[in-house]
PDB file of all heavy atoms in Angstrom:
ATOM      1  N   THR A 119      19.345-195.490  18.237  1.00 95.00           N
ATOM      2  CA  THR A 119      18.188-195.506  19.198  1.00 95.00           C
ATOM      3  C   THR A 119      18.139-196.786  19.941  1.00 95.00           C
ATOM      4  O   THR A 119      17.775-196.814  21.123  1.00 95.00           O
ATOM      5  CB  THR A 119      16.875-195.234  18.369  1.00 95.00           C
ATOM      6  OG1 THR A 119      16.984-193.938  17.790  1.00 95.00           O
ATOM      7  CG2 THR A 119      15.651-195.241  19.311  1.00 95.00           C
ATOM      8  N   LEU A 120      18.497-197.897  19.357  1.00 96.00           N
ATOM      9  CA  LEU A 120      18.533-199.175  20.022  1.00 96.00           C
ATOM     10  C   LEU A 120      19.498-199.128  21.199  1.00 96.00           C
ATOM     11  O   LEU A 120      19.183-199.660  22.278  1.00 96.00           O
ATOM     12  CB  LEU A 120      18.918-200.308  19.072  1.00 96.00           C
ATOM     13  CG  LEU A 120      17.951-200.676  17.942  1.00 96.00           C
ATOM     14  CD1 LEU A 120      18.576-201.749  17.039  1.00 96.00           C
ATOM     15  CD2 LEU A 120      16.623-201.122  18.456  1.00 96.00           C
ATOM     16  N   VAL A 121      20.634-198.469  21.021  1.00 95.00           N
ATOM     17  CA  VAL A 121      21.603-198.328  22.047  1.00 95.00           C
ATOM     18  C   VAL A 121      21.038-197.377  23.154  1.00 95.00           C
ATOM     19  O   VAL A 121      21.125-197.626  24.318  1.00 95.00           O
ATOM     20  CB  VAL A 121      22.920-197.822  21.480  1.00 95.00           C
ATOM     21  CG1 VAL A 121      23.953-197.555  22.609  1.00 95.00           C
ATOM     22  CG2 VAL A 121      23.481-198.746  20.464  1.00 95.00           C
ATOM     23  N   GLU A 122      20.479-196.273  22.660  1.00 94.00           N
ATOM     24  CA  GLU A 122      19.933-195.302  23.609  1.00 94.00           C
ATOM     25  C   GLU A 122      18.844-195.876  24.518  1.00 94.00           C
ATOM     26  O   GLU A 122      18.779-195.638  25.716  1.00 94.00           O
ATOM     27  CB  GLU A 122      19.243-194.089  22.821  1.00 94.00           C
ATOM     28  CG  GLU A 122      20.214-193.199  22.187  1.00 94.00           C
ATOM     29  CD  GLU A 122      19.583-192.198  21.241  1.00 94.00           C
ATOM     30  OE1 GLU A 122      18.316-192.002  21.372  1.00 94.00           O
ATOM     31  OE2 GLU A 122      20.263-191.586  20.481  1.00 94.00           O
ATOM     32  N   GLN A 123      17.991-196.793  23.955  1.00 93.00           N
ATOM     33  CA  GLN A 123      16.969-197.400  24.705  1.00 93.00           C
ATOM     34  C   GLN A 123      17.548-198.308  25.853  1.00 93.00           C
ATOM     35  O   GLN A 123      17.006-198.262  27.003  1.00 93.00           O
ATOM     36  CB  GLN A 123      16.097-198.299  23.822  1.00 93.00           C
ATOM     37  CG  GLN A 123      15.220-197.438  22.885  1.00 93.00           C
ATOM     38  CD  GLN A 123      14.549-198.267  21.747  1.00 93.00           C
ATOM     39  OE1 GLN A 123      15.011-199.440  21.506  1.00 93.00           O
ATOM     40  NE2 GLN A 123      13.541-197.713  21.140  1.00 93.00           N
ATOM     41  N   GLN A 124      18.606-198.978  25.572  1.00 93.00           N
ATOM     42  CA  GLN A 124      19.250-199.800  26.598  1.00 93.00           C
ATOM     43  C   GLN A 124      19.906-198.927  27.664  1.00 93.00           C
ATOM     44  O   GLN A 124      19.777-199.187  28.842  1.00 93.00           O
ATOM     45  CB  GLN A 124      20.257-200.763  26.001  1.00 93.00           C
ATOM     46  CG  GLN A 124      19.663-201.761  25.023  1.00 93.00           C
ATOM     47  CD  GLN A 124      18.442-202.420  25.613  1.00 93.00           C
ATOM     48  OE1 GLN A 124      18.486-202.954  26.707  1.00 93.00           O
ATOM     49  NE2 GLN A 124      17.371-202.495  24.830  1.00 93.00           N
ATOM     50  N   LEU A 125      20.522-197.867  27.271  1.00 92.00           N
ATOM     51  CA  LEU A 125      21.187-196.950  28.212  1.00 92.00           C
ATOM     52  C   LEU A 125      20.116-196.306  29.079  1.00 92.00           C
ATOM     53  O   LEU A 125      20.298-196.112  30.313  1.00 92.00           O
ATOM     54  CB  LEU A 125      22.002-195.864  27.545  1.00 92.00           C
ATOM     55  CG  LEU A 125      23.268-196.353  26.794  1.00 92.00           C
ATOM     56  CD1 LEU A 125      23.967-195.254  26.104  1.00 92.00           C
ATOM     57  CD2 LEU A 125      24.152-197.106  27.739  1.00 92.00           C
ATOM     58  N   PHE A 126      18.955-195.949  28.506  1.00 90.00           N
ATOM     59  CA  PHE A 126      17.850-195.347  29.291  1.00 90.00           C
ATOM     60  C   PHE A 126      17.321-196.272  30.264  1.00 90.00           C
ATOM     61  O   PHE A 126      16.941-195.854  31.390  1.00 90.00           O
ATOM     62  CB  PHE A 126      16.805-194.830  28.275  1.00 90.00           C
ATOM     63  CG  PHE A 126      15.685-194.032  28.963  1.00 90.00           C
ATOM     64  CD1 PHE A 126      15.957-192.754  29.465  1.00 90.00           C
ATOM     65  CD2 PHE A 126      14.487-194.576  29.228  1.00 90.00           C
ATOM     66  CE1 PHE A 126      14.989-191.997  30.130  1.00 90.00           C
ATOM     67  CE2 PHE A 126      13.474-193.866  29.899  1.00 90.00           C
ATOM     68  CZ  PHE A 126      13.757-192.595  30.317  1.00 90.00           C
ATOM     69  N   ARG A 127      17.231-197.600  29.881  1.00 85.00           N
ATOM     70  CA  ARG A 127      16.754-198.550  30.840  1.00 85.00           C
ATOM     71  C   ARG A 127      17.685-198.682  32.061  1.00 85.00           C
ATOM     72  O   ARG A 127      17.238-199.041  33.105  1.00 85.00           O
ATOM     73  CB  ARG A 127      16.651-199.946  30.158  1.00 85.00           C
ATOM     74  CG  ARG A 127      15.476-200.139  29.224  1.00 85.00           C
ATOM     75  CD  ARG A 127      15.493-201.523  28.699  1.00 85.00           C
ATOM     76  NE  ARG A 127      15.423-202.549  29.701  1.00 85.00           N
ATOM     77  CZ  ARG A 127      15.906-203.784  29.555  1.00 85.00           C
ATOM     78  NH1 ARG A 127      16.574-204.139  28.443  1.00 85.00           N
ATOM     79  NH2 ARG A 127      15.770-204.657  30.489  1.00 85.00           N
ATOM     80  N   HIS A 128      18.990-198.372  31.847  1.00 83.00           N
ATOM     81  CA  HIS A 128      19.953-198.423  32.908  1.00 83.00           C
ATOM     82  C   HIS A 128      19.922-197.168  33.788  1.00 83.00           C
ATOM     83  O   HIS A 128      19.990-197.289  35.005  1.00 83.00           O
ATOM     84  CB  HIS A 128      21.351-198.699  32.350  1.00 83.00           C
ATOM     85  CG  HIS A 128      22.449-198.673  33.369  1.00 83.00           C
ATOM     86  ND1 HIS A 128      22.541-199.655  34.326  1.00 83.00           N
ATOM     87  CD2 HIS A 128      23.294-197.719  33.686  1.00 83.00           C
ATOM     88  CE1 HIS A 128      23.533-199.361  35.093  1.00 83.00           C
ATOM     89  NE2 HIS A 128      24.053-198.181  34.774  1.00 83.00           N
ATOM     90  N   ALA A 129      19.927-195.982  33.113  1.00 80.00           N
ATOM     91  CA  ALA A 129      20.005-194.787  33.875  1.00 80.00           C
ATOM     92  C   ALA A 129      19.284-193.682  33.085  1.00 80.00           C
ATOM     93  O   ALA A 129      19.520-193.513  31.911  1.00 80.00           O
ATOM     94  CB  ALA A 129      21.506-194.362  34.059  1.00 80.00           C
ATOM     95  N   SER A 130      18.473-192.964  33.795  1.00 77.00           N
ATOM     96  CA  SER A 130      17.611-191.965  33.160  1.00 77.00           C
ATOM     97  C   SER A 130      18.462-190.652  32.954  1.00 77.00           C
ATOM     98  O   SER A 130      18.944-190.074  33.890  1.00 77.00           O
ATOM     99  CB  SER A 130      16.413-191.704  34.001  1.00 77.00           C
ATOM    100  OG  SER A 130      15.585-190.765  33.399  1.00 77.00           O
ATOM    101  N   PHE A 131      18.634-190.318  31.724  1.00 79.00           N
ATOM    102  CA  PHE A 131      19.275-189.068  31.354  1.00 79.00           C
ATOM    103  C   PHE A 131      18.391-188.265  30.484  1.00 79.00           C
ATOM    104  O   PHE A 131      17.475-188.740  29.826  1.00 79.00           O
ATOM    105  CB  PHE A 131      20.580-189.397  30.494  1.00 79.00           C
ATOM    106  CG  PHE A 131      21.737-189.816  31.302  1.00 79.00           C
ATOM    107  CD1 PHE A 131      22.022-191.232  31.367  1.00 79.00           C
ATOM    108  CD2 PHE A 131      22.524-188.921  31.999  1.00 79.00           C
ATOM    109  CE1 PHE A 131      23.147-191.633  32.106  1.00 79.00           C
ATOM    110  CE2 PHE A 131      23.654-189.409  32.698  1.00 79.00           C
ATOM    111  CZ  PHE A 131      23.937-190.746  32.779  1.00 79.00           C
ATOM    112  N   GLU A 132      18.677-186.964  30.406  1.00 86.00           N
ATOM    113  CA  GLU A 132      18.032-186.081  29.450  1.00 86.00           C
ATOM    114  C   GLU A 132      18.365-186.635  28.003  1.00 86.00           C
ATOM    115  O   GLU A 132      19.379-187.227  27.839  1.00 86.00           O
ATOM    116  CB  GLU A 132      18.497-184.646  29.524  1.00 86.00           C
ATOM    117  CG  GLU A 132      18.152-184.027  30.870  1.00 86.00           C
ATOM    118  CD  GLU A 132      16.627-183.796  31.036  1.00 86.00           C
ATOM    119  OE1 GLU A 132      15.947-183.508  30.038  1.00 86.00           O
ATOM    120  OE2 GLU A 132      16.147-183.922  32.188  1.00 86.00           O
ATOM    121  N   GLN A 133      17.446-186.360  27.064  1.00 87.00           N
ATOM    122  CA  GLN A 133      17.581-186.911  25.723  1.00 87.00           C
ATOM    123  C   GLN A 133      18.939-186.546  25.048  1.00 87.00           C
ATOM    124  O   GLN A 133      19.638-187.416  24.498  1.00 87.00           O
ATOM    125  CB  GLN A 133      16.426-186.432  24.782  1.00 87.00           C
ATOM    126  CG  GLN A 133      16.381-186.994  23.436  1.00 87.00           C
ATOM    127  CD  GLN A 133      16.194-188.526  23.469  1.00 87.00           C
ATOM    128  OE1 GLN A 133      15.524-189.046  24.353  1.00 87.00           O
ATOM    129  NE2 GLN A 133      16.743-189.231  22.542  1.00 87.00           N
ATOM    130  N   GLU A 134      19.348-185.316  25.161  1.00 91.00           N
ATOM    131  CA  GLU A 134      20.604-184.825  24.557  1.00 91.00           C
ATOM    132  C   GLU A 134      21.797-185.618  25.172  1.00 91.00           C
ATOM    133  O   GLU A 134      22.739-186.017  24.440  1.00 91.00           O
ATOM    134  CB  GLU A 134      20.769-183.332  24.740  1.00 91.00           C
ATOM    135  CG  GLU A 134      21.928-182.847  23.964  1.00 91.00           C
ATOM    136  CD  GLU A 134      22.053-181.311  24.051  1.00 91.00           C
ATOM    137  OE1 GLU A 134      20.989-180.656  23.945  1.00 91.00           O
ATOM    138  OE2 GLU A 134      23.203-180.837  24.089  1.00 91.00           O
ATOM    139  N   GLU A 135      21.793-185.806  26.499  1.00 89.00           N
ATOM    140  CA  GLU A 135      22.870-186.520  27.203  1.00 89.00           C
ATOM    141  C   GLU A 135      22.838-187.970  26.797  1.00 89.00           C
ATOM    142  O   GLU A 135      23.915-188.587  26.569  1.00 89.00           O
ATOM    143  CB  GLU A 135      22.799-186.356  28.690  1.00 89.00           C
ATOM    144  CG  GLU A 135      23.886-186.991  29.437  1.00 89.00           C
ATOM    145  CD  GLU A 135      25.314-186.493  29.118  1.00 89.00           C
ATOM    146  OE1 GLU A 135      25.440-185.334  28.704  1.00 89.00           O
ATOM    147  OE2 GLU A 135      26.225-187.271  29.287  1.00 89.00           O
ATOM    148  N   LEU A 136      21.711-188.520  26.724  1.00 89.00           N
ATOM    149  CA  LEU A 136      21.507-189.923  26.297  1.00 89.00           C
ATOM    150  C   LEU A 136      22.107-190.152  24.908  1.00 89.00           C
ATOM    151  O   LEU A 136      22.777-191.103  24.637  1.00 89.00           O
ATOM    152  CB  LEU A 136      20.009-190.268  26.365  1.00 89.00           C
ATOM    153  CG  LEU A 136      19.681-191.766  26.291  1.00 89.00           C
ATOM    154  CD1 LEU A 136      20.297-192.577  27.411  1.00 89.00           C
ATOM    155  CD2 LEU A 136      18.162-191.892  26.295  1.00 89.00           C
ATOM    156  N   GLN A 137      21.752-189.209  23.999  1.00 92.00           N
ATOM    157  CA  GLN A 137      22.314-189.347  22.609  1.00 92.00           C
ATOM    158  C   GLN A 137      23.838-189.299  22.653  1.00 92.00           C
ATOM    159  O   GLN A 137      24.505-190.077  21.932  1.00 92.00           O
ATOM    160  CB  GLN A 137      21.778-188.251  21.727  1.00 92.00           C
ATOM    161  CG  GLN A 137      20.296-188.484  21.459  1.00 92.00           C
ATOM    162  CD  GLN A 137      19.655-187.339  20.729  1.00 92.00           C
ATOM    163  OE1 GLN A 137      20.202-186.229  20.643  1.00 92.00           O
ATOM    164  NE2 GLN A 137      18.524-187.558  20.083  1.00 92.00           N
ATOM    165  N   LYS A 138      24.431-188.425  23.389  1.00 93.00           N
ATOM    166  CA  LYS A 138      25.908-188.376  23.480  1.00 93.00           C
ATOM    167  C   LYS A 138      26.457-189.640  24.046  1.00 93.00           C
ATOM    168  O   LYS A 138      27.451-190.136  23.525  1.00 93.00           O
ATOM    169  CB  LYS A 138      26.316-187.166  24.355  1.00 93.00           C
ATOM    170  CG  LYS A 138      26.182-185.816  23.667  1.00 93.00           C
ATOM    171  CD  LYS A 138      26.918-184.742  24.418  1.00 93.00           C
ATOM    172  CE  LYS A 138      26.025-184.182  25.495  1.00 93.00           C
ATOM    173  NZ  LYS A 138      26.572-183.033  26.195  1.00 93.00           N
ATOM    174  N   GLN A 139      25.832-190.129  25.155  1.00 92.00           N
ATOM    175  CA  GLN A 139      26.348-191.366  25.765  1.00 92.00           C
ATOM    176  C   GLN A 139      26.303-192.522  24.744  1.00 92.00           C
ATOM    177  O   GLN A 139      27.285-193.317  24.645  1.00 92.00           O
ATOM    178  CB  GLN A 139      25.425-191.725  26.949  1.00 92.00           C
ATOM    179  CG  GLN A 139      25.568-190.701  28.096  1.00 92.00           C
ATOM    180  CD  GLN A 139      26.750-190.885  28.956  1.00 92.00           C
ATOM    181  OE1 GLN A 139      27.426-191.912  28.929  1.00 92.00           O
ATOM    182  NE2 GLN A 139      27.077-189.831  29.699  1.00 92.00           N
ATOM    183  N   ALA A 140      25.170-192.660  24.044  1.00 94.00           N
ATOM    184  CA  ALA A 140      25.017-193.731  23.072  1.00 94.00           C
ATOM    185  C   ALA A 140      26.081-193.608  21.977  1.00 94.00           C
ATOM    186  O   ALA A 140      26.713-194.666  21.584  1.00 94.00           O
ATOM    187  CB  ALA A 140      23.637-193.748  22.507  1.00 94.00           C
TER     188      ALA A 140
END
Side-chain angles (χ1 to χ4, degrees):
T119 299
L120 294 175
V121 178
E122 290 172 14
Q123 289 168 343
Q124 297 312 312
L125 293 178
F126 186 75
R127 283 181 60 209
H128 175 72
S130 184
F131 282 100
E132 295 293 325
Q133 186 65 30
E134 187 175 321
E135 182 61 26
L136 191 62
Q137 289 174 342
K138 283 192 275 187
Q139 296 278 344

